[in-house]
């Protein structure tokens, strides 16, 4: 390639020759070239859809000049004849070049290309041009795609750094302005021209990718040992160059010894590469709270990034289809490194030495122990996926965290089971074979099996290619003075070996692996003063549940777990019944500020049984109040119905100054998802009985019954992403005095001009209505909330600030229309449209029908300040059925607001991109 950078226009002018050698046994009529830079060209590419799917708005809202593309492409053959090529609208990030003549095996063809690469902004993927004049270039040139199994690998850019390029030799002449410097892991020679440019000659052999970073002043430092030169700009100003050199030398030698020598002369480890794949845990803490020494933080960052780059650059697999091998070797190597160099380090570092924190399981877990918890986090949510699935099918948390960690745990598990260095030797052989020929997962599997004297088909069938969970428990344990007899039950049927330990005062005195066929047998071992037997003590096996893995051999109750009270939040501790306590505070107008103490068992991992009890004290009414909920969760692993939740909840608060209410709510909730876990469509069935007992209020005259019970059946179907949101809800309510059915459709669309429209249609009708008041009637603007579902701060207020609180429900009107209730049927249509940033115009129209009265048409309109959706919004009525509201008296009392103090609302805005 001959490449010239135009820094002002942020483009690369490229003249390129590709000499393509057909190394397959097939005759080729076309060649596929990866053009991943063109994935940035518009808002409808697979990359744009991926951003939308993961709730990233930045790409959709970007200016045209911030996008990337490949333009003015011309392809010629060696005779300067034009070759036709196609780029489909569905897959614009690779092109198919049609050859003039069939290309036979072992023949080659020369392609001459001319094109301009428009570099995208780095704010989308961290690669591209920056505001300080730097260019971190990634996938910026056209290159042949990987060929295997009789076809080219056609992968679109999904921001996963998993481009499948053919192995190539590179020769690049790079021309850049003289005020810039280039850094690369290719061999590099720099010359100064007589003009205002610098010239670089870059070259490298047998590669699928390389790094190229252009900056006003190079931020990379060079560290060289006997095997490789390391260029890095990893940030850590508190670690001097000598400390960095020692760490880098140790990690380079460790990787060479465990996996194999890095095949190239240079490797580039950038801060950007680390930020793309950070070490989760370390990256969440602000620097002043870090419980780890600065040198250790630099070491872990460099270790993770070095292993990632080392494997991606030198291991020539299909990184989308065989991604688990990259992740597995990387995390396995990280755990081995920690065992060898920092065996006593805890997950929370020096925080484990703080006396106040010693009771937390979170601070007592070894550094390597955290990996299994991240896997279990997704398994308990029933969101884990097979390790062998393609990378682009994984939900984000699995792709970046859980599946990576489980892959490393699985390889360590196999290593511990096989012993005799069978796994490390297999990794070395696989890495060596990779230097000679193109490899795939089948090669890795064949090598490991050849180095094992045991049948390990279960490892690939169950651990890698399925999402079967593993859960063992002791089915019986008996003891005598001299021996222990036990049997083990496989609760899930997954055919996996399991280790059993005997411990004495926490020290291991016995360990034995139970093979698959032995797991239902009975064993007798010497007593040896063993006081506890434990399955999977060191988490060698990525197991779903550790709470049933041990038996005490002393004391009357063989499995008695002491109750342990823990402040705020903790990881699950299998040896205790944890009760977490945290101060709580609640507010409504009638109870006032209501402090309480919340007691629950919700650790970071989901549990099959959950309780959450929150007794509190109402400072205004001077009495006890609060809420409680008890939940049983049931997961279904092999159906679209993936979770059933059986619960009973209760709450006791005031609904008026002089009257309280008690609500009891038994419920069953069924959750359904699509077979594709990345699909944002979710469905939910809810069946509940809402039982309400109310004290009679002398201050609120609404003729509402004091005691009532309503059966509620609800169905919700929703699909949400940045550019589109669709939600359909239908609801059936049956009670002694009324029955009603409702339907609601919501739609939101973000247009390419960055305007947004929100549409909502609601319709409801009574099946029968024997009530005498409007307490159960449909409402235009402020439902009575007889089911006590909405968080009204002053639910009985009809005037004043608290009456202006707005919830999006039923009619959805913002203006207070006279006679707002309907005891027969209601229809309404709500719309809003953004005119500038978070300023929107809204309008509502509807019909309401009451008994013995003709249906009535109503409407309103105004300005909406959508500051934080569902969290903080303001509505300013302008014109409605009441006339010009903006010119009427007491306008400030017409302004409506949404305020939510629940942190869960904001947390959900963050979580949705991960799960």
């Amino acid at each position: 390639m001959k490449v010239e950078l135009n820094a002002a226009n942020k483009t690369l002018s490229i003249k390129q020759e590709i000499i393509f050698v057909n190394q397959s046994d097939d005759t080729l009529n076309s060649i596929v070239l990866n053009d991943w830079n063109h994935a940035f060209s518009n808002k409808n590419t697979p990359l744009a859809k991926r951003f939308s799917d993961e709730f990233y708005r930045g790409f959709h809202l970007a200016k045209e000049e911030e996008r990337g593309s490949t333009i003015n492409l011309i392809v010629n053959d060696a005779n300067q004849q034009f070759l036709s090529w196609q780029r489909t609208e569905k897959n614009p990030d690779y092109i198919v070049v049609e050859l003039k003549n069939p290309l036979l095996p072992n023949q080659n063809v020369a392609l001459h290309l001319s094109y301009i690469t428009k570099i995208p902004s780095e704010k989308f993927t961290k690669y591209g041009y920056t505001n300080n004049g730097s260019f971190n270039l990634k996938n910026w040139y056209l290159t042949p795609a990987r060929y295997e199994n009789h076809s080219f690998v056609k992968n679109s850019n999904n921001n996963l750094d998993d481009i499948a390029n053919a192995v190539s030799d590179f020769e690049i002449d790079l021309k850049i302005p003289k005020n810039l410097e280039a850094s690369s892991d290719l061999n590099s020679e720099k010359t100064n021209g007589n003009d205002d440019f610098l010239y670089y000659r870059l070259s490298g052999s047998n590669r699928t990718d390389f790094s190229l970073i252009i900056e006003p002043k190079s931020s990379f430092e060079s560290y060289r040992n006997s095997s490789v030169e390391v260029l890095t700009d990893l940030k850590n100003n508190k670690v001097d160059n000598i400390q960095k050199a020692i760490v880098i030398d140790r990690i380079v030698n460790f990787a060479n010894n465990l996996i194999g020598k890095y095949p190239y002369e240079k490797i580039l480890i950038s801060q950007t590469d680390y930020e793309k794949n950070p070490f989760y845990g370390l990256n969440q803490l602000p620097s002043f709270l870090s419980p780890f020494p600065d040198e250790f933080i630099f070491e872990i960052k460099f270790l993770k990034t070095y292993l990632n780059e080392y494997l991606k650059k030198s291991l020539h697999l299909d990184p989308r289809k065989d991604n688990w091998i990259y992740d597995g070797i990387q995390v396995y190597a990280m755990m081995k490194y920690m065992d060898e160099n920092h065996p006593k380090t805890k997950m929370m570092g020096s925080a484990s030495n703080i006396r106040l924190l010693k009771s937390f399981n979170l601070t007592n877990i070894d550094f390597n122990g955290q990996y299994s918890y991240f896997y279990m986090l997704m398994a308990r949510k029933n969101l884990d996926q097979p390790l062998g699935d393609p990378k682009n099918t994984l939900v984000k948390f699995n792709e970046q965290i859980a599946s990576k960690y489980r892959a490393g745990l699985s390889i360590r598990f196999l290593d511990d089971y096989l012993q005799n260095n069978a796994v490390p030797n297999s990794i070395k052989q696989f890495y060596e074979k990779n230097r000679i020929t193109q490899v795939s997962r089948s090669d890795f599997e064949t090598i490991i099996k050849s180095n094992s004297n045991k049948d390990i088909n279960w490892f690939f069938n169950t651990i890698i290619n399925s999402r079967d969970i593993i859960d063992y428990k002791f089915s019986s344990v008996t003891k005598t003075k001299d021996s222990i007899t036990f049997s083990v039950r496989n609760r899930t049927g997954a055919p996996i070996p399991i280790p059993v330990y005997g411990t004495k005062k926490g020290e291991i005195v016995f360990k034995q692996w139970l093979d698959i066929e032995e797991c239902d047998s009975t064993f007798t071992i010497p007593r040896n003063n063993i006081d506890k037997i434990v399955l999977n003590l060191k988490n060698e096996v990525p197991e779903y549940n550790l709470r049933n893995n041990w038996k005490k051999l002393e004391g009357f109750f063989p499995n008695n777990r002491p109750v342990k009270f823990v402040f705020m939040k903790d990881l699950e501790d299998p040896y205790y019944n944890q009760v977490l306590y945290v101060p709580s505070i609640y507010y409504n107008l009638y109870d006032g500020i209501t402090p309480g103490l919340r007691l629950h068992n919700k650790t970071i991992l989901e549990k099959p049984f959950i309780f959450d009890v929150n007794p509190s004290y109402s400072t205004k009414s001077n009495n006890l109040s609060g809420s409680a909920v008890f939940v049983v969760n049931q997961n279904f692993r092999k159906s679209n119905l993936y979770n059933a939740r059986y619960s009973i909840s209760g709450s006791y608060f005031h609904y008026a100054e002089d009257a309280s209410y008690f609500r009891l709510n038994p419920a069953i909730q069924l959750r359904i998802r699509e077979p594709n876990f990345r699909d944002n469509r979710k469905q939910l069935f809810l069946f509940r009985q809402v039982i309400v007992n109310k004290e009679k209020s002398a201050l609120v005259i609404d003729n509402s019954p004091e005691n009532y019970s309503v059966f509620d059946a609800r169905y919700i179907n929703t699909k949400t992403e940045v550019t589109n949101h669709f939600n359909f809800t239908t609801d059936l309510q049956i009670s002694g005095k009324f029955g009603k059915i409702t339907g609601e459709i919501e739609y939101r669309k973000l247009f390419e001009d960055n305007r947004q429209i929100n549409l909502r249609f609601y319709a409801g009708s009574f099946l029968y209505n024997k009530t005498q008041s409007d307490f159960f009637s449909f409402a235009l603007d402020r439902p009575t909330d007889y089911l006590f579902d909405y968080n009204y701060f002053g639910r009985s207020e009809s005037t004043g600030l608290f009456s202006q609180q707005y919830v999006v429900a039923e009619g959805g009107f913002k203006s207070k229309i006279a006679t707002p209730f309907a005891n027969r049927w209601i229809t309404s249509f709500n719309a809003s449209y953004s005119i500038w940033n978070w300023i929107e115009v809204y309008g509502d129209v509807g019909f309401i029908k009451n008994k013995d009265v003709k249906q009535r048409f109503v409407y309103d309109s105004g300005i909406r300040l959508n500051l934080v959706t569902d969290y903080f919004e303001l509505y300013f009525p302008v014109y409605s059925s009441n006339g010009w509201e903006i010119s009427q008296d007491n306008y400030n009392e017409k302004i409506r607001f949404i305020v939510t103090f629940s942190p869960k609302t904001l947390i959900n805005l963050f979580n949705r991109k991960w799960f």
Side-chain angles (χ1 to χ4, degrees):
M1 286 186 278
K2 294 185 183 297
V3 183
E4 181 176 347
L5 169 67
N6 185 323
N9 294 338
K10 303 177 178 61
T11 59
L12 298 165
S13 298
I14 299 172
K15 302 284 188 185
Q16 182 174 354
E17 180 187 34
I18 298 173
I19 300 175
F20 183 89
V21 182
N22 183 4
Q23 295 178 307
S24 74
D25 296 327
D26 303 321
T27 298
L28 305 180
N29 294 302
S30 62
I31 295 173
V32 174
L33 302 180
N34 284 325
D35 184 14
W36 275 25
N37 187 70
H38 202 69
F40 297 90
S41 58
N42 64 65
K43 301 178 184 180
N44 298 306
T45 66
L47 178 64
K49 292 173 183 175
R50 183 85 173 194
F51 285 139
S52 179
D53 188 47
E54 293 185 348
F55 301 95
Y56 172 64
R57 294 171 61 95
F59 187 75
H60 197 85
L61 301 177
K63 301 173 184 175
E64 189 59 36
E65 57 267 24
E66 294 177 314
R67 304 186 192 286
S69 60
T70 302
I71 55 177
N72 301 340
L73 173 61
I74 299 172
V75 184
N76 296 325
D77 63 12
N79 299 319
Q80 296 303 308
Q81 291 184 305
F82 289 107
L83 296 178
S84 65
W85 55 270
Q86 291 82 38
R87 183 202 306 281
T88 65
E89 189 173 330
K90 181 180 177 182
N91 300 106
D93 35 24
Y94 58 81
I95 67 172
V96 179
V97 178
E98 302 295 335
L99 300 177
K100 293 284 187 184
N101 301 302
L103 186 64
L104 300 177
N106 298 317
Q107 287 188 343
N108 65 68
V109 63
L111 306 179
H112 295 268
L113 291 78
S114 171
Y115 55 97
I116 293 175
T117 292
K118 185 170 175 288
I119 304 167
S121 168
E122 55 84 30
K123 70 180 185 180
F124 310 132
T125 65
K126 299 187 183 296
Y127 298 116
Y129 71 82
T130 69
N131 292 331
N132 66 2
S134 299
F135 301 86
N136 192 334
L137 299 179
K138 187 81 171 177
N139 305 324
W140 50 274
Y141 54 91
L142 276 70
T143 188
R146 177 186 177 95
Y147 190 91
E148 66 177 357
N149 298 326
H150 311 294
S151 65
F152 286 97
V153 176
K154 298 177 180 178
N155 289 340
S156 286
N157 185 352
N158 290 141
N159 189 28
L160 297 172
D161 288 348
D162 60 349
I163 192 168
N165 289 334
V167 178
S168 304
D169 299 338
F170 291 91
E171 291 182 4
I172 302 168
D173 291 319
L174 175 66
K175 178 182 177 183
I176 64 174
K178 224 166 200 173
N179 60 336
L180 298 174
E181 296 181 24
S183 302
S184 175
D185 52 356
L186 293 178
N187 297 326
S188 175
E189 296 178 12
K190 181 176 73 171
T191 57
N192 289 309
N194 296 324
D195 47 13
D196 294 328
F197 295 92
L198 285 178
Y199 296 86
Y200 288 83
R201 177 75 171 179
L202 308 174
S203 62
S205 300
N206 202 37
R207 308 180 70 113
T208 56
D209 197 8
F210 62 89
S211 299
L212 177 59
I213 298 174
I214 301 171
E215 306 169 279
K217 185 177 188 326
S218 177
S219 56
F220 286 85
E221 298 170 338
S222 173
Y223 299 87
R224 193 188 299 268
N225 75 358
S226 58
S227 63
V228 69
E229 179 186 3
V230 176
L231 300 175
T232 182
D233 67 342
L234 271 186
K235 295 174 183 173
N236 199 318
N237 297 329
K238 297 180 181 178
V239 179
D240 63 41
N241 287 341
I242 295 176
Q243 290 173 303
K244 288 181 181 178
I246 293 171
V247 166
I248 290 171
D249 184 67
R250 184 191 305 143
I251 289 171
V252 168
N253 291 331
F254 169 81
N256 287 347
N257 293 332
L258 181 67
I259 303 169
K261 186 178 182 300
Y262 187 67
Y264 312 120
E265 295 179 16
K266 288 196 292 185
I267 186 170
L268 188 144
I269 310 299
S270 71
Q271 179 68 22
T272 300
D273 292 329
Y274 173 74
E275 290 172 358
K276 284 284 288 184
N277 289 281
F279 190 94
Y280 288 93
L282 291 179
N283 68 315
Q284 307 301 315
L285 295 171
S287 57
F288 66 88
L289 284 179
S290 176
F292 298 101
D294 294 315
E295 185 175 349
F296 179 82
I297 291 176
F298 175 81
E299 187 172 6
I300 290 298
K301 285 182 175 181
F302 184 84
L303 173 67
K304 188 175 194 301
T305 314
Y306 179 81
L307 288 170
N308 191 48
E309 289 299 302
Y310 167 95
L311 292 168
K312 276 170 52 181
K313 293 288 174 62
S314 61
L315 202 53
H316 303 147
L317 293 158
D318 180 342
R320 178 162 295 176
K321 186 178 70 175
D322 298 334
N323 183 64
W324 72 270
I325 298 177
Y326 288 101
D327 289 343
I329 295 175
Q330 180 195 27
V331 176
Y332 168 74
M334 289 177 67
M335 289 191 284
K336 292 276 284 187
Y337 182 87
M338 290 300 298
D339 286 339
E340 290 180 15
N341 296 280
H342 303 281
K344 295 182 179 180
T345 300
K346 299 293 184 182
M347 174 182 172
M348 294 299 292
S350 59
S352 62
N353 299 322
I354 301 173
R355 180 170 295 181
L356 287 173
L357 301 180
K358 280 188 176 293
S359 63
F360 286 85
N361 191 37
L362 192 67
T363 62
N364 293 316
I365 292 174
D366 291 337
F367 194 87
N368 283 342
Q370 64 186 295
Y371 297 115
S372 66
Y373 277 92
F374 279 111
Y375 155 66
M376 280 199 288
L377 179 70
M378 294 302 278
R380 296 282 187 89
K381 288 179 179 290
N382 202 5
L383 273 172
D384 55 305
Q385 294 172 270
L387 296 179
D389 279 7
K391 190 175 182 180
N392 63 320
T393 65
L394 302 180
V395 297
K396 187 172 182 178
F397 195 91
N398 284 333
E399 180 258 314
Q400 296 218 339
I401 306 174
S403 290
K404 281 179 179 287
Y405 291 173
R406 191 187 176 204
L409 287 166
S410 299
I411 290 182
R412 188 182 71 158
F413 161 34
L414 188 64
D415 182 24
D416 196 284
Y417 174 69
L418 293 178
Q419 298 292 310
N420 300 320
N421 288 320
V423 168
N425 290 340
S426 298
I427 291 173
K428 287 180 180 177
Q429 290 174 30
F430 179 66
Y431 192 76
E432 186 60 32
K433 183 176 183 179
N434 168 76
R435 297 178 64 174
I436 302 167
T437 185
Q438 183 173 280
V439 291
S440 67
R441 72 165 73 186
S442 60
D443 298 300
F444 189 58
E445 183 175 341
T446 299
I447 290 171
I448 291 181
K449 286 180 176 178
S450 69
N451 287 326
S452 170
N453 55 9
K454 300 178 181 179
D455 180 4
I456 57 170
N457 282 319
W458 53 265
F459 179 79
F460 298 96
N461 295 337
T462 302
I463 300 292
I464 303 302
N465 295 321
S466 83
R467 62 186 299 263
D468 294 346
I469 57 175
I470 305 163
D471 189 12
Y472 282 91
K473 65 175 288 187
F474 289 107
S475 55
S476 66
V477 177
T478 58
K479 63 182 186 295
T480 67
K481 183 179 179 181
D482 301 317
S483 65
I484 304 166
T485 301
F486 65 89
S487 57
V488 174
R489 179 183 161 212
N490 184 345
R491 297 189 68 202
T492 61
I496 304 297
I498 196 84
V500 61
Y501 290 81
T503 65
K504 177 184 176 183
K505 296 181 179 179
E507 297 294 323
I508 297 170
V509 296
F510 168 82
K511 178 186 178 182
Q512 179 179 328
W513 276 93
L514 306 182
D515 278 322
I516 298 167
E517 62 276 5
E518 298 176 317
C519 285
D520 293 323
S521 304
T522 300
F523 298 88
T524 300
I525 61 174
R527 179 66 188 263
N528 290 337
N529 293 321
I530 291 172
D531 56 25
K532 188 186 292 183
I533 57 172
V534 188
L535 294 168
N536 197 23
L537 175 65
K538 294 190 174 182
N539 276 356
E540 295 96 330
V541 181
E543 203 176 357
Y544 178 79
N545 180 21
L546 302 175
R547 288 178 60 79
N548 55 11
N549 278 23
W550 57 279
K551 291 282 188 181
K552 270 178 95 171
L553 301 176
E554 297 176 351
F556 182 73
F557 296 104
N559 216 17
N560 56 326
R561 290 189 182 89
V563 175
K564 178 177 168 183
F565 288 91
V566 184
F567 181 64
M568 291 294 285
K569 204 78 169 173
D570 197 8
L571 278 180
E572 181 176 288
D573 191 332
Y575 300 107
Y576 290 91
N577 287 315
Q578 292 158 293
V579 177
L580 294 93
Y581 62 95
V582 58
S584 65
I585 192 162
Y586 171 78
Y587 174 81
N588 71 47
L589 181 61
Y590 317 115
D591 289 294
I593 295 174
T594 308
L597 183 67
R598 184 172 161 229
L599 303 168
H600 65 94
N601 70 334
K602 294 180 184 177
T603 55
I604 293 171
L605 303 179
E606 296 273 0
K607 288 186 174 180
F609 173 72
I610 296 170
F611 68 85
D612 193 336
V613 180
N614 190 9
S616 53
Y617 180 75
S618 301
T619 57
K620 197 166 183 179
S621 57
N622 293 319
N623 67 349
L624 289 175
S625 59
S627 61
V629 61
F630 301 88
V631 178
V632 174
N633 264 314
Q634 182 180 7
N635 286 333
F636 304 97
R637 301 284 298 179
K638 296 182 179 180
S639 69
N640 289 359
L641 169 63
Y642 74 101
N643 176 262
R645 178 184 173 99
Y646 314 95
S647 65
I648 183 166
S649 62
S651 57
Y652 177 80
F653 292 103
H654 281 73
Y655 76 95
E657 292 280 358
D658 61 338
S660 63
Y661 73 90
F662 172 72
R663 183 182 86 149
L664 189 65
N665 181 19
I668 298 174
Q669 179 179 286
L670 306 176
R671 291 194 286 174
I672 297 171
R673 66 180 171 209
E674 300 300 303
N676 174 11
F677 284 16
R678 285 196 58 84
D679 194 321
N680 283 337
R681 182 176 301 282
K682 301 290 186 294
Q683 298 178 71
L684 182 145
F685 288 92
L686 174 64
F687 306 95
R688 60 178 178 163
Q689 190 77 31
V690 181
I691 304 163
V692 178
N693 290 340
K694 294 168 57 182
E695 290 181 346
K696 190 68 176 173
S697 171
L699 302 176
V700 179
I701 302 173
D702 59 6
N703 296 320
S704 64
E706 295 177 28
N707 303 320
Y708 54 89
S709 177
V710 180
F711 171 75
D712 182 25
R714 185 173 299 174
Y715 168 70
I716 300 172
N717 186 322
T718 183
K719 184 176 177 69
T720 302
E721 57 186 63
V722 160
T723 54
N724 285 287
H725 164 81
F726 175 83
N727 183 78
F728 170 73
T729 302
T730 185
D731 191 72
L732 172 68
Q733 295 178 15
I734 301 293
S735 183
K737 291 193 174 183
F738 75 90
K740 61 165 67 170
I741 187 167
T742 64
E744 178 184 347
I745 297 173
E746 292 177 291
Y747 178 71
R748 183 181 68 240
K749 171 72 174 177
L750 183 63
F751 295 104
E752 291 201 17
D753 63 358
N754 300 328
R755 308 275 187 189
Q756 181 169 291
I757 190 169
N758 298 273
L759 305 174
R760 176 179 178 268
F761 175 76
Y762 178 85
S765 176
F766 278 93
L767 303 175
Y768 58 92
N769 188 359
K770 304 173 186 176
T771 63
Q772 301 302 313
S773 74
D774 280 322
F775 185 65
F776 297 109
S777 295
F778 296 110
L780 273 177
D781 74 288
R782 185 174 165 87
T784 57
D785 189 26
Y786 51 87
L787 297 181
F788 292 88
D789 285 338
Y790 309 132
N791 188 25
Y792 278 135
F793 299 126
R795 64 177 55 251
S796 298
E797 300 303 294
S798 57
T799 59
L801 177 66
F802 289 94
S803 71
Q804 296 169 233
Q805 184 183 357
Y806 174 72
V807 296
V808 183
E810 298 193 6
F813 271 55
K814 291 78 183 176
S815 294
K816 296 181 180 181
I817 308 294
T819 318
F821 294 106
N823 59 23
R824 278 295 175 260
W825 56 260
I826 183 175
T827 61
S828 69
F829 181 74
N830 318 118
S832 65
Y833 184 73
S834 58
I835 53 177
W836 183 77
N837 284 350
W838 34 263
I839 300 176
E840 303 177 5
V841 293
Y842 73 80
D844 308 310
V845 295
F847 287 92
I848 58 175
K849 176 71 170 72
N850 283 285
K851 183 180 179 181
D852 300 328
V853 179
K854 186 181 178 182
Q855 69 264 22
R856 185 161 57 103
F857 176 71
V858 288
Y859 60 91
D860 73 358
S861 61
I863 301 294
R864 175 192 187 192
L865 302 186
N866 187 7
L867 301 171
V868 182
T869 302
D870 299 329
Y871 202 82
F872 184 44
E873 303 178 24
L874 293 172
Y875 296 86
F876 296 86
V878 175
Y879 189 74
S880 72
S881 298
N882 298 328
W884 284 99
E885 300 203 42
I886 201 165
S887 63
Q888 295 171 2
D889 295 339
N890 302 319
Y891 180 75
N892 61 310
E893 296 180 8
K894 299 176 182 291
I895 298 169
R896 306 297 294 274
F897 64 88
I898 291 176
V899 174
T900 305
F901 291 121
S902 168
K904 188 176 180 181
T905 304
L906 279 184
I907 291 171
N908 286 340
L909 293 176
F910 169 78
N911 283 348
R912 63 186 183 177
K913 73 177 182 180
W914 288 97
F915 303 115

